Amino acid sequence: QVELVESGGASVQAGGSLRLSCVADRYSGACMGWYRQAPGKEREGVAIIYKDGSTYYTNSVKGRFTISRDYETNTAYLQMDSLKPEDTGVYYCAAPYVEYCYYSDFAVFGYWGRGTQVTVSS
């Protein structure tokens, strides 16, 4: 069973930065992702990083968020810069339930952490 533990969420002002971390226990596979869920909205995919180092971002965070991964520590990161109030939500780390991750395909994810709260005030 894959276990994912997120950390790093906080309250910041618009324009600020945060770095989220996700430690993945018993997983070092093909890709990892980050999702978020804003109040009253469905969970949405934010970013994916693949084992070859390539990345995918949803349009609303392109140029502001950076996903990375440290294979030695089995940790994924989400660097979030130029934060906006609409970035507010619970951020979840995710791992796939399949061995192969197709590019930009958020449907592969089946393991989730408990989330970390990010609040951006204007």
Side-chain angles (χ1 to χ4, degrees), residues 24-36:
D25 188 25
R26 293 185 288 272
Y27 179 74
S28 59
C31 69
M32 289 188 72
W34 285 95
Y35 277 70
R36 67 186 178 188

Side-chain angles (χ1 to χ4, degrees), residues 30-48:
C31 69
M32 289 188 72
W34 285 95
Y35 277 70
R36 67 186 178 188
Q37 188 165 19
K41 295 189 177 180
E42 291 188 357
R43 191 178 298 186
E44 66 166 342
V46 173
I48 305 174

Side-chain angles (χ1 to χ4, degrees), residues 42-116:
E42 291 188 357
R43 191 178 298 186
E44 66 166 342
V46 173
I48 305 174
I49 185 164
Y50 300 88
K51 207 156 190 177
D52 65 357
S54 60
T55 56
Y56 173 82
Y57 299 94
T58 193
N59 285 339
S60 60
V61 308
K62 281 181 182 176
R64 299 188 299 121
F65 289 13
T66 304
I67 187 172
S68 61
R69 190 174 176 186
D70 183 337
Y71 287 91
E72 288 192 5
T73 60
N74 275 348
T75 303
Y77 300 97
L78 187 67
Q79 177 67 38
M80 306 187 295
D81 299 317
S82 302
L83 282 162
K84 305 175 181 180
E86 50 264 43
D87 294 319
T88 293
V90 179
Y91 282 70
Y92 300 90
C93 177
Y97 64 92
V98 295
E99 290 189 4
Y100 184 81
C101 298
Y102 291 95
Y103 185 73
S104 78
D105 185 8
F106 284 100
V108 301
F109 294 105
Y111 296 103
W112 308 89
R114 292 189 175 185
T116 185

